[in-house]
Amino acid sequence: MKLAFSTLGVPGLPISDVVRLAATHGYHGVELRTHPEEPVHLGLNPAERTDVAAEFKAAGIEILGLAGYARVAAPGDDGPVIAEIRELLELARDLGAPYIRVFPGGSPDQSPEEADATAARRLGTAAEYAADLGVRILLETHDSHRTGADAIRVLGLVGHRQAGALWDVMHTWLGGEQPPSTFAALSPHLGYIQVKDIASADDTTPLPLGTGVLPLTECVELLSREGWDGWLCWEYEKRWYASAAPLEGLLGAGREHLARLLNESA
């Protein structure tokens, strides 16, 4: 398995520093939070896109994916949601990223069936465009669809290879789903996995990997046993928790912890 980290943990950090951190601490790739307050966003012009891609390529660091904020199950017209996904897909193509992340974003005002159908309809339309660009759209286990069982209801309706799943281990755990159940649901569609650690269900402040309650050991052992060899991406949510320790000082130990889990599960 290859290791990455998300720039959600280093909010606003210039791309050159992000690349340096990845190279210094032995990460193979980076997930780029794609938002107007970050260096990478939908408004980048062609020259800026070329520069970002070149910085990563020169350092031998891969851009794993773009963590966008389109909400595919949200109430409202399809047009703006699909347009946002298309913009993300085009940016991913220009940067050489194989994946984009989207959220479910369903509303309590919707029935589960309505939210599933809305998400599937939009993903199905966007997946056709994604196929032309060679990028996959990954639905994250999050908010209204936080478990693998939730996500597969949508992906089963879509039935397109360019629409897959991003497994966030915190959200499936908070949803009461055990890792074997999540993997069984998502494995045919799985793009990559976001790992993290927290103190408890009531305190989701990010912690160094291995110091909290999330079942990281069980997840890695399961993935190794099943022969899955994709990406593990550390999503440290520093942007949402100002009091959390800076990620820069934790990256080395985090990589060592993941490497140790991989070695022990081999």
Side-chain angles (χ1 to χ4, degrees):
M1 298 181 216
K2 293 195 283 189
L3 305 181
F5 67 87
S6 168
T7 57
L8 188 64
V10 286
L13 194 69
I15 289 299
S16 57
D17 293 328
V18 171
V19 170
R20 175 183 52 78
L21 284 174
T24 299
H25 295 291
Y27 286 81
H28 306 97
V30 175
E31 177 194 75
L32 295 173
R33 179 178 181 243
T34 306
H35 189 276
E37 64 187 25
E38 297 291 343
V40 172
H41 53 81
L42 295 177
L44 291 185
N45 64 40
E48 291 168 330
R49 296 175 185 215
T50 298
D51 288 345
V52 170
E55 282 208 65
F56 277 92
K57 185 175 182 179
I61 304 297
E62 297 181 54
I63 301 176
L64 168 58
L66 305 185
Y69 287 88
R71 288 165 166 76
V72 294
D77 294 338
D78 289 355
V81 178
I82 294 171
E84 183 177 357
I85 296 173
R86 286 179 66 128
E87 287 187 75
L88 280 165
L89 289 168
E90 289 166 358
L91 179 58
R93 177 210 47 204
D94 293 346
L95 299 183
Y99 303 112
I100 66 164
R101 184 277 306 277
V102 299
F103 282 147
S107 166
D109 297 333
Q110 297 166 298
S111 69
E113 294 79 11
E114 182 184 2
D116 292 350
T118 298
R121 183 176 65 248
R122 292 167 177 169
L123 284 171
T125 298
E128 294 294 334
Y129 190 61
D132 292 338
L133 300 182
V135 180
R136 286 188 79 199
I137 307 166
L138 301 184
L139 178 66
E140 184 172 329
T141 54
H142 195 274
D143 58 78
S144 62
H145 292 67
R146 74 181 346 172
T147 67
D150 294 329
I152 196 60
R153 293 199 314 266
V154 173
L155 296 173
L157 291 172
V158 179
H160 196 295
R161 61 184 175 81
Q162 295 305 115
L166 199 173
W167 176 6
D168 181 318
V169 300
M170 181 181 76
H171 284 283
T172 54
W173 181 81
L174 289 172
E177 192 172 65
Q178 297 300 311
S181 297
T182 305
F183 185 79
L186 298 183
S187 58
H189 309 278
L190 195 55
Y192 63 95
I193 298 168
Q194 286 178 343
V195 297
K196 58 188 74 173
D197 225 339
I198 56 173
S200 70
D202 298 318
D203 183 2
T204 55
T205 304
L207 294 176
L209 294 178
T211 65
V213 298
L214 293 183
L216 301 182
T217 300
E218 183 181 356
C219 285
V220 172
E221 288 177 347
L222 169 67
L223 295 168
S224 295
R225 187 166 64 248
E226 295 290 343
W228 190 81
D229 63 352
W231 288 84
L232 301 178
C233 178
W234 185 8
E235 188 189 46
Y236 184 81
E237 298 185 338
K238 173 66 173 174
R239 173 62 184 86
W240 314 126
Y241 297 88
S243 63
L247 178 62
E248 291 90 329
L250 306 176
L251 282 170
R255 186 198 58 76
E256 290 171 7
H257 180 73
L258 291 174
R260 184 163 57 251
L261 294 183
L262 290 168
N263 287 335
E264 291 173 353
S265 65

